[in-house]
Amino acid sequence: MDAPGATRAESRAGRAPVSAADRQLVALTDLLQDGQWTTGAALAANLGVSPGDVAERIDRLRQDWFVDVEQEDGRYRLRRALERLSVPGVVAGLPARWRDGIKIGVAPCVGSTNDELIAGDAADDPQVLLAERQSRGRGRRGRAWVSPFAANLYLSLAWGFAQQPKHITLLPLVTGVCCTRALHRCGVGEVRIKWPNDLYAEGRKLAGILVERADARGAGCRVVIGVGVNVFMTPAQAGGVPSQWTTLEQVAAARHMAAPSRNLLAAHLVAAIADGMVAFARDGFDSFAADWVSWDLTRDRRVTVLEEGRSWNGVARGIDADGALRVEAGADVRTIHAADVSLRL
C-alpha cells in the first residue's frame, strides 16, 4: 500500500506463539523490571514455584537472554530498570496520519521479526512487528544479530508497493535516510550512514538495516524492512560482538542528554519509514538524495572492499543511479553492488 488507510485502526500482539519456557522468563523479568531488590522467596511466591526454580530461571535470563541480573544475599535485581515495549506506547508516539494506517504488534520473543512478517498475511500491510528479543535475528549477508532482551530495538515493517519502484535496489539507502531522520528528531544528530545499510555515530556502529523482498504481486512487490538499533546494550550483553559499536545511551550521554524512550523511538522510526515508502513510490530517490549526500559516511573515504574472497583498497566516490557504491581504485572506478566494505579510519 502506498498511502495510509483512513479506516484501518487495528493493533494486535505478535504472531508467533510464545513457548512455555519463554513465558516463564517473561514473567520473571516483569517482576524485576523496576530495578529494585526483590528476594528470591518473594519471586517464588509470585510465580508459584520454588526458590530453586527461581535461581535456575535467573541463570537462564543471564545466559540465554543476556539480562544483567545482580544477586546479593538471596535477593535479585536488574542492574537497569527496563522500559517494556507496548502497542499503546508505540501508537501514542505516532503522528495522527499513521495511527489508523499501520497495524502494530509487539511480541516478547520471536525467532526473527523479518521472518514473522515475511510469513504474515500481505492483506494486513502495512504492518509492524517489534520484539523484545530475537533468537534468530540476522543482519546483512546472513550474519547473526545479537538481541539481548529489552536492551535494544528490533523492528520490522512490511510494505506493499502497488507498482514496483523503478530503482528498488535503492530501498536500503532510502531506509537508512529515513532512520537517520528519525534519530535526528530524537536529538541524536551525529548519525551518519555507511553504505549500504549501517548507521554510525562517532565512528561506531549504532544500527543496522535489512531489506528483504517478500513476494511479487502483479506489477507491484512486497518488502519487509528490518531495523535493529543499539539502545542500552552493555558489552556483557553484546556477547563478544567483534565490531566497534555504540549505543544511543552512550551517544546521548556524550551530549549530556538522556536516551529517548524505546517506545517513542519505535514510533519515530515507524513514521519516518512509512513516510519514506510513500515518498519513494511517488518520487523515487529524489526526495532522499540530498540527505544521502549529507550523511554519507563512506564518500571520499578510503575503504577496503572484500568480495569473492579477496580484498582491495580504494576511495569511495558516492553511488550510482541504482545505489551501487562507486570505488576509485587507481585509474579505474569500480561499481560495487554487493560486498563487505570497511572504512579505513
Side-chain angles (χ1 to χ4, degrees), residues 7-338:
T7 59
R8 302 184 62 251
E10 178 182 339
S11 299
R12 62 182 185 165
R15 295 149 181 78
V18 180
S19 70
D22 283 347
R23 285 197 301 271
Q24 292 174 354
L25 297 192
V26 169
L28 176 56
T29 306
D30 285 344
L31 292 172
L32 293 168
Q33 68 175 333
D34 63 3
Q36 301 300 309
W37 285 109
T38 307
T39 66
L43 293 171
N46 274 288
L47 296 171
V49 300
S50 71
D53 288 332
V54 169
E56 178 187 351
R57 293 177 190 183
I58 291 289
D59 286 342
R60 285 163 51 204
L61 278 181
R62 290 169 172 155
Q63 295 172 16
D64 298 340
W65 285 19
F66 306 103
V67 177
D68 197 353
V69 185
E70 294 184 290
Q71 182 174 351
E72 180 182 286
D73 299 328
R75 301 181 301 161
Y76 303 95
R77 73 174 181 184
L78 299 186
R79 196 175 298 273
R80 169 194 300 282
L82 298 182
E83 178 205 2
R84 290 289 301 277
L85 296 169
S86 71
V87 170
V90 176
V91 171
L94 289 175
R97 63 184 177 277
W98 287 117
R99 287 180 189 167
D100 290 337
I102 300 179
K103 295 181 179 180
I104 305 292
V106 175
C109 311
V110 298
S112 155
T113 55
N114 263 33
D115 286 348
E116 291 295 324
L117 290 193
I118 287 171
D121 189 346
D124 291 334
D125 295 344
Q127 58 184 310
V128 169
L129 179 62
L130 298 108
E132 298 287 17
R133 173 181 178 266
Q134 299 180 114
S135 59
R136 297 189 301 276
R138 65 182 186 279
R140 185 169 175 260
R141 303 173 79 85
R143 294 186 180 90
W145 184 275
V146 176
S147 304
F149 186 86
N152 298 325
L153 198 66
Y154 321 115
L155 175 159
S156 293
L157 181 149
W159 190 275
F161 291 100
Q163 297 287 328
Q164 178 171 306
K166 182 177 180 181
H167 296 289
I168 191 70
T169 52
L170 285 161
L171 202 52
L173 282 61
V174 167
T175 305
V177 170
C178 294
C179 292
T180 302
R181 288 171 177 172
L183 288 163
H184 286 186
R185 290 184 192 121
C186 289
V188 188
E190 299 77 15
V191 179
R192 298 294 181 267
I193 310 168
K194 176 179 171 289
W195 184 91
N197 59 351
D198 288 334
L199 305 186
Y200 271 58
E202 300 175 345
R204 295 172 179 267
K205 184 173 178 177
L206 176 67
I209 295 162
L210 178 64
V211 178
E212 298 184 283
R213 292 282 294 271
D215 58 46
R217 303 193 300 182
C221 66
R222 181 175 188 253
V223 298
V224 173
I225 298 167
V227 179
V229 183
N230 300 330
V231 184
F232 297 116
M233 184 169 65
T234 66
Q237 290 175 313
V241 174
S243 61
Q244 291 190 327
W245 52 272
T246 189
T247 65
L248 275 181
E249 181 183 40
Q250 292 173 324
V251 175
R255 300 296 183 268
H256 306 289
M257 298 166 48
S261 152
R262 291 169 69 234
N263 283 280
L264 182 59
L265 173 63
H268 278 302
L269 287 167
V270 169
I273 296 170
D275 286 343
M277 297 305 101
V278 174
F280 186 51
R282 183 186 63 232
D283 305 323
F285 197 62
D286 290 350
S287 57
F288 304 93
D291 280 347
W292 172 265
V293 172
S294 295
W295 299 332
D296 182 359
L297 181 65
T298 314
R299 190 183 184 95
D300 297 329
R301 304 283 292 274
R302 292 194 60 79
V303 297
T304 297
V305 180
L306 176 62
E307 57 178 348
E308 299 178 353
R310 66 186 186 90
S311 64
W312 51 276
N313 300 321
V315 177
R317 298 302 189 195
I319 58 173
D320 69 7
D322 292 316
L325 183 67
R326 301 173 67 251
V327 179
E328 181 181 294
D332 299 326
V333 176
R334 306 184 189 181
T335 302
I336 309 301
H337 292 274

